[in-house]
Amino acid sequence: MAPSIVFDFDGTLAIGHGPVRAYAACVADGAAVEPGFIERVDAELARYDAGASSYRDGYDIVGSLAEAAGASDGDRAAAYERSRTRLGSGLAVVDTIADLDSALERLGRTARLVLATNAPETGVAAVLDAWGVRDRFDELHYTVGKPVGLARLIKRLIAEGPVLAIGDIFEFDLAPAAALGADTALVGATAATAPVSVTMRGRSLADLVPDLHTWAASAASSTSAPLGAGSGIER
């Protein structure tokens, strides 16, 4: 029996709007969208960063505004696929938190580390290699098909010990885990104000590193049940 920590990628491990802006650029390059599309995306991203946007994340912003600007489903899908080939390049700069490798190395001493993303492997694996953390993960799952696909993964992991799911979109990254009794950590621009019940929350993964270490150590010392929302970590 061992605890598991399940990490989302975009918006959780990968931060910054580089990949999202690459998606927007690919939409503008490959579809007949109305003038001012990129400017509208940038304005909505600024609102999202300020916690004033109703969109789920940057990809939702681009996809929704692209549809409204005249891009078809096929246009948007093709643009997204093209943007992922740019991931980690100067056309789609991807940032992460400081000392990610150190944090994962320490967490990996007491917990199984799992990556679960809806994104395809294209680009992601190379970024993980560039950060020097790909080998820190015990499992790497791409094109998971959240929320349903995440529920299947969590169900398997929670049978083996406590689980903590970390992500920036509650409905996709955390709700399936919470429904199965796992703990949850919400990160991102809207984490502080989101009206959802989670175990812990922070502006970014960096804010939660001490709590993650506490969770992993406590979960490893007792596999009778995961830590609950009453553990005092919620903030």
Side-chain angles (χ1 to χ4, degrees):
M1 301 288 283
S4 300
I5 302 178
V6 181
F7 294 85
D8 174 49
F9 183 74
D10 288 286
T12 302
L13 289 172
I15 54 179
H17 292 314
V20 169
R21 289 195 168 98
Y23 176 26
C26 287
V27 169
D29 289 343
V33 293
E34 296 173 354
F37 170 69
I38 295 294
E39 290 76 11
R40 289 193 294 276
V41 168
D42 284 340
E44 195 59 49
L45 286 174
R47 282 191 284 272
Y48 180 84
D49 288 340
S53 175
S54 61
Y55 293 98
R56 289 191 305 271
D57 64 357
Y59 291 98
D60 187 31
I61 289 171
V62 174
S64 298
L65 293 183
E67 182 178 18
S72 68
D73 290 350
D75 289 337
R76 298 196 303 277
Y80 174 74
E81 292 297 330
R82 287 197 303 275
S83 75
R84 300 310 283 190
T85 67
R86 301 179 179 184
L87 207 63
S89 73
L91 297 174
V93 176
V94 185
D95 297 317
T96 192
I97 66 169
D99 300 320
L100 176 63
D101 182 57
S102 176
L104 293 179
E105 187 277 329
R106 183 177 168 189
L107 288 170
R109 297 176 197 171
T110 51
R112 177 194 293 113
L113 304 186
V114 178
L115 176 72
T117 174
N118 273 354
E121 185 175 356
T122 303
V124 176
V127 168
L128 294 175
D129 282 334
W131 291 342
V133 301
R134 188 176 184 183
D135 291 340
R136 296 296 184 198
F137 291 93
D138 299 285
E139 299 181 20
L140 297 165
H141 299 280
Y142 305 100
T143 319
V144 169
K146 300 177 185 179
V148 176
L150 181 64
R152 288 195 292 266
L153 175 61
I154 297 295
K155 190 172 184 178
R156 171 173 65 82
L157 294 174
I158 209 165
E160 302 171 10
V163 173
L164 172 66
I166 309 173
D168 64 312
I169 303 177
F170 180 80
E171 294 84 353
F172 292 170
D173 303 324
L174 307 183
L180 291 166
D183 288 309
T184 53
L186 181 64
V187 297
T190 62
T193 57
V196 293
S197 177
V198 294
T199 310
M200 59 184 89
R201 63 179 80 208
R203 177 81 182 186
S204 80
L205 191 63
D207 296 329
L208 300 183
V209 168
D211 289 344
L212 297 181
H213 290 316
T214 298
W215 184 93
S218 298
S221 68
S222 175
T223 58
S224 59
L227 287 175
S231 62
I233 296 178
E234 165 79 41
R235 59 184 186 179

